[in-house]
Amino acid sequence: MASAERHVVGLDISGIAIKKAMKLKSGSAKAEHCTFLKGDFFTWCPAQLFDLIFDYKFFCAIEPELRSSWAKKMSQLLKPDGELITLINLIDDREGGPPFNVSVSDYEEVLHPVGFEATCVSDNELAIPRQKGHEKLGRWRRRRVSSYSAEKHRDMLTSWDACLSCFLCLGNEKGGK
C-alpha cells in the first residue's frame, strides 16, 4: 500500500503489535512511506483526514456494543470522497469473543446510518487456505447527497475536514488527494 504517492499510517493499541510492525518496516524499501502509531482508535485525533482506510479485522475484535462508535469514527477519519475497505471475517458460531460473531449485515447496520453504502462485497480471493470462504472484502463509500441536503448539512460536512486505523492512507502533497 505504501509508496511515494501514498503515505500509510498503521494504528494499534498494542505496543507489541507496533514493535513487530516497526521491525517488519525496517527491512522494507517503502519504510519511509509508512508510520506506525500506538493509540486508541476511538480517541485518536490525527491532524488530517484519510483518502482510504483499510480495516483489517478490527471490527470483529471489538465488543459489538462499540460497533456504532466504530462506524462514526470511520466517518470522522475519512475524507468525504474517501473509501473504506473492510476485511470481513465471517463468524457465526462463537459464544463471546474476541473475535465476535460478524456478518455483512452487521457492517451495513452500523455503516448505513452514518451515510456509507457498499460499492462491492466479494469473497476474499487472496485469503489463506483455512480462511477461504470465511472472508469477504467490503468496499464502502458515502452516499451522495443532493445539493439541498448538502447545503442543509454544510456544518457536518465541513467538520469532516477538521478532524482524521487499522491502516490509513494519506495522499501526499506532490499529487495525491
Side-chain angles (χ1 to χ4, degrees):
M1 254 195 239
S3 69
E5 294 79 33
R6 184 175 38 249
H7 190 82
V8 174
V9 178
L11 178 69
D12 202 299
I13 200 162
S14 166
I16 294 168
I18 295 301
K19 284 180 186 175
K20 285 183 179 180
M22 296 293 286
K23 186 176 178 180
L24 286 171
K25 169 186 154 175
S26 67
S28 170
K30 299 178 180 182
E32 67 184 284
H33 305 296
C34 56
T35 304
F36 295 99
L37 304 172
K38 181 180 182 291
D40 180 345
F41 169 79
F42 295 102
T43 60
W44 185 51
C45 289
Q48 58 191 100
L49 299 173
F50 292 93
D51 294 306
L52 172 71
I53 300 176
F54 178 52
D55 181 298
Y56 183 85
K57 298 185 181 182
F58 177 47
F59 187 86
C60 71
I62 59 174
E63 296 280 343
E65 298 78 31
L66 293 175
R67 290 177 178 169
S68 290
S69 296
W70 169 90
K72 288 175 189 164
K73 187 67 173 183
M74 287 295 184
S75 179
Q76 292 169 351
L77 295 173
L78 197 61
K79 288 181 179 178
D81 61 342
E83 183 174 20
L84 171 62
I85 298 176
T86 56
L87 182 59
I88 303 168
N89 190 23
L90 300 171
I91 304 169
D92 64 2
D93 60 351
R94 283 191 60 95
E95 299 250 349
F100 294 93
N101 288 340
V102 173
S103 66
V104 173
S105 64
D106 291 327
Y107 281 84
E108 292 169 338
E109 186 178 306
V110 297
L111 288 170
H112 286 173
V114 294
F116 285 95
E117 64 185 357
T119 59
C120 177
V121 176
S122 60
D123 289 336
N124 180 12
E125 300 300 328
L126 300 175
I128 60 174
R130 74 171 194 261
Q131 287 295 107
K132 288 268 185 199
H134 301 285
E135 287 182 353
K136 293 197 177 286
L137 281 172
R139 296 180 71 168
W140 311 84
R141 288 202 178 263
R142 287 195 181 86
R143 288 185 293 276
R144 299 284 182 214
V145 292
S146 70
S147 59
Y148 168 79
S149 183
E151 182 66 29
K152 184 177 175 185
H153 301 300
R154 182 189 343 217
D155 292 337
M156 180 177 74
L157 292 170
T158 50
S159 72
W160 288 335
D161 293 329
C163 187
L164 226 204
S165 197
C166 6
F167 290 99
L168 309 154
C169 298
L170 297 169
N172 71 12
E173 296 177 18
K174 298 177 189 171
K177 289 185 181 180

